[in-house]
Each structure stands twice: as C-alpha cells, then as structure tokens.
Amino acid sequence: MSEARFRIAAASILMVALACLVVSVSGCDPRGSERPDLVWGVYGTRDGWLKKPRVIAIDADDQLYIADLTDRIQVFNRDGVFLRSWRVPQLNVDGPSGLTVDRLGRVLVADTHFYRILVYDRQGNLLFQVGDGIQGTEPGRFGYPTDVVIDEQGCFYISEYGENDRIQVFSPEGIWLRQWGGHGYEPGQFIRPTALAFDRSQRLFVADSCNHRIQVFDTQGNLLDLWGKLGDAQGDLSYPYDLCFGPDGLVYVIEYGNQRVQRFTPDGQPRGVWGGPGRQPGRFNGPWALAVDSRGFVHAIDTNNHRVQRFRFP
C-alpha cells in the first residue's frame, strides 16, 4: 500500500472510531449506551453471592431484597454490601418469582411453586401467608403466583399465570374479595402477567409479559389503558418481566426479550432506553427484574450474568 493510501485508510479508521465515541458519549445509540455506575455480584451460594437472581425489591431505607434460585432472600445496601438473609420454608429449583416491600415495611414474597404469598418482616420473621398452598383454579387458590402489591386500604393484589392468568384481590386479613382477567389476547386478558405496580393515583399497572404490553386497571378491575407491542424499536416491548415507578413518576420496564431497560411516561410514551444483549457492563443476559431507589438510580437484575447493575437515566 502506498503511503498516501495508508494515510487515507488510517484517517478513515480514525473517523469511524471518533463517530462511535460520539455515539457512546451522547447516548444516541437507539439501544442505549449509558454506562452503569456500579456493577456487582459473585456467582455462588455463599452469603452475599448470587445464583441466577430473579427478583428484587427496595425498602424505604434503600436496602435491596433479592431472591435467587437458592430459595433465599438476601438483603444488601444500595452499594451491594451484604447485610442479612433468610430462606423460604420449602425449597424449589426455581425459587420465588415476585418480591415487594410494602409501605408497612413488610416483605411480600410470591412463593410461586408453593401456590401462596408469604409475608415477612424486614428481618425475615414469617408473619402469615395468603393462600392455603394448594394449587387450584377456584377463587382464593393460585396457579403460579408471580407478584403481589397492596393498595391504600392494605388489600393484596396478586398476579398469577398457568391456567388462571388473572389478578386476585384479598383483604388485609387474607380473605378473597374479587378477581379479573383470564387467559387470552383481548384487552383485559393476560398471558403470563409477571409484575404489578400502583401509581400515585392507585392505578394498577400490569406487565402482561407474553402479550408484550402494559395494561392499567382501577382497583375494581376496570381496564383504563393499554400500551406496548412486540418489537425491538424504542417504545416496543419484548417479554416485559418487571416494572416499577421511580421518584420522577415515570414507569421503568425491564425486558427479558430485548434484554434492556426502558423508561416511559404513565401513558406509554418512551423516555429512554438502556442496555442490550451482552456480558460487558451496560449489557444484559436474560434480565428479570429491577427496582428504583429514592435517588432515582435503577438497580437491574442481570439474571444470567449473576449480577446487579446500577445506573441512572440522564
């Protein structure tokens, strides 16, 4: 190669590199290019280690509660420092698939494969359970419960999949009140609802995972809104496995299919995307869950990478 051609080739390579750098810094990459400010996690079963973590919740002190496939609940501070742990009463290879810390400071666990909701205090003392632990389709029993939240009156709202694909509501004492949904593609129906969250107006947001959408209901089960469609463009969804609200009032959604996090207005308008498939920091491998702390930082469960990534949207 002549010296002139070599210089032209070198200049072209440099321009491409600079262009990539500008995209990375400016965040113009449509899949998101924000770098996490913290990545932590060690694969294993010791205290503080993680083995395919699947669910996360956060309390008023920004402590993180994480369940993995070892059927334990581990508690960390927001920087990933291990604090304490406990195990659910019975072991199953898949572990719990839903976790919430309610405003009363209780830890609500969807003990999926034992067909019940376990209610603990923050130290891991079991207070009571919702459901009799017998699988069923009749009101008050569960197929596979996936998540649980409470409303302003303290009633429990529980999502489940399997034959049921519905939302059931129980009183604060665990008495069955009502249900809605059913298996299907129509508005108001579900195919594997995996996560629940109330907004400030007591509207219930449901991650209708295998329908690739978010549905919004009032507390009586009346459908108020529906948004999302299958795809990988910004604003599209592919298997949204978890959702939560940040202190900014926006909805944060983690997608198992697209392996990323998106932020939306409550009516479904996209406000940023971050992630994509991979193992390097800032990328995900089969993510399942997320939580947003009081400072607005997102703690994302990077399940098959056995770690937690913390970041903040610009």
Side-chain angles (χ1 to χ4, degrees):
M1 180 183 293
S2 68
E3 182 177 353
R5 288 183 177 179
F6 177 81
R7 288 178 178 175
I8 292 172
S12 299
I13 293 171
L14 179 59
M15 290 177 66
V16 171
L18 287 173
C20 291
L21 179 60
V22 169
V23 167
S24 175
V25 171
S26 67
C28 295
D29 179 355
R31 296 196 64 86
S33 56
E34 291 300 316
R35 301 283 293 180
D37 81 314
L38 180 66
V39 180
W40 59 270
V42 176
Y43 175 76
T45 58
R46 294 183 180 179
D47 284 348
W49 292 11
L50 299 172
K51 184 178 180 181
K52 283 197 173 182
R54 285 192 172 179
V55 286
I56 184 172
I58 195 163
D59 68 15
D61 298 320
D62 282 344
Q63 293 183 354
L64 307 175
Y65 296 71
I66 296 174
D68 63 11
L69 294 196
T70 62
D71 288 285
R72 59 185 172 171
I73 312 298
Q74 296 194 85
V75 188
F76 302 84
N77 71 13
R78 67 183 304 273
D79 296 319
V81 176
F82 173 78
L83 300 176
R84 59 190 180 276
S85 69
W86 69 88
R87 291 189 181 274
V88 296
Q90 293 173 276
L91 304 182
N92 181 277
V93 68
D94 286 331
S97 62
L99 197 60
T100 299
V101 180
D102 68 19
R103 70 176 187 281
L104 305 177
R106 303 174 303 183
V107 183
L108 315 179
V109 179
D111 196 12
T112 306
H113 297 277
F114 295 100
Y115 323 115
R116 62 190 178 184
I117 301 300
L118 302 173
V119 181
Y120 293 91
D121 67 20
R122 294 199 300 174
Q123 300 304 312
N125 299 303
L126 183 61
L127 304 176
F128 62 95
Q129 72 178 46
V130 179
D132 59 12
I134 299 174
Q135 187 177 26
T137 60
E138 60 268 35
R141 286 188 169 162
F142 301 111
Y144 297 100
T146 56
D147 202 9
V148 52
V149 292
I150 65 169
D151 65 11
E152 290 178 342
Q153 285 70 47
C155 295
F156 296 90
Y157 292 69
I158 300 166
S159 56
E160 53 180 311
Y161 76 96
E163 291 184 73
N164 300 340
D165 276 318
R166 64 187 176 186
I167 308 296
Q168 294 195 74
V169 186
F170 295 78
S171 73
E173 297 76 32
I175 299 170
W176 184 87
L177 299 176
R178 58 188 175 275
Q179 66 182 42
W180 71 84
H183 184 83
Y185 305 92
E186 298 299 320
Q189 295 180 318
F190 305 106
I191 300 181
R192 192 164 182 155
T194 58
L196 308 172
F198 274 112
D199 71 1
R200 296 166 183 168
S201 301
Q202 287 293 281
R203 298 185 302 165
L204 183 66
F205 284 64
V206 182
D208 187 9
S209 297
C210 295
N211 280 326
H212 315 288
R213 65 191 182 187
I214 307 300
Q215 299 200 67
V216 186
F217 300 88
D218 65 19
T219 55
Q220 298 303 308
N222 298 304
L223 181 64
L224 304 176
D225 200 3
L226 181 156
W227 46 267
K229 63 179 179 65
L230 178 62
D232 61 3
Q234 185 170 345
D236 291 344
L237 296 171
S238 179
Y239 299 100
Y241 268 18
D242 198 11
L243 80 165
C244 64
F245 283 89
D248 53 10
L250 297 179
V251 186
Y252 293 76
V253 180
I254 199 160
E255 302 172 67
Y256 185 85
N258 287 326
Q259 304 191 76
R260 66 186 182 183
V261 174
Q262 290 198 76
R263 183 173 62 176
F264 296 89
T265 63
D267 62 354
Q269 300 302 310
R271 289 294 182 267
V273 59
W274 182 84
R279 296 187 179 277
Q280 64 269 43
R283 298 286 170 167
F284 296 109
N285 183 13
W288 274 67
L290 79 170
V292 183
D293 67 26
S294 63
R295 307 181 198 180
F297 284 83
V298 179
H299 302 258
I301 294 293
D302 191 4
T303 301
N304 292 334
N305 284 329
H306 313 286
R307 67 187 182 185
V308 178
Q309 299 196 62
R310 185 179 75 191
F311 67 96
R312 187 170 187 173
F313 276 92

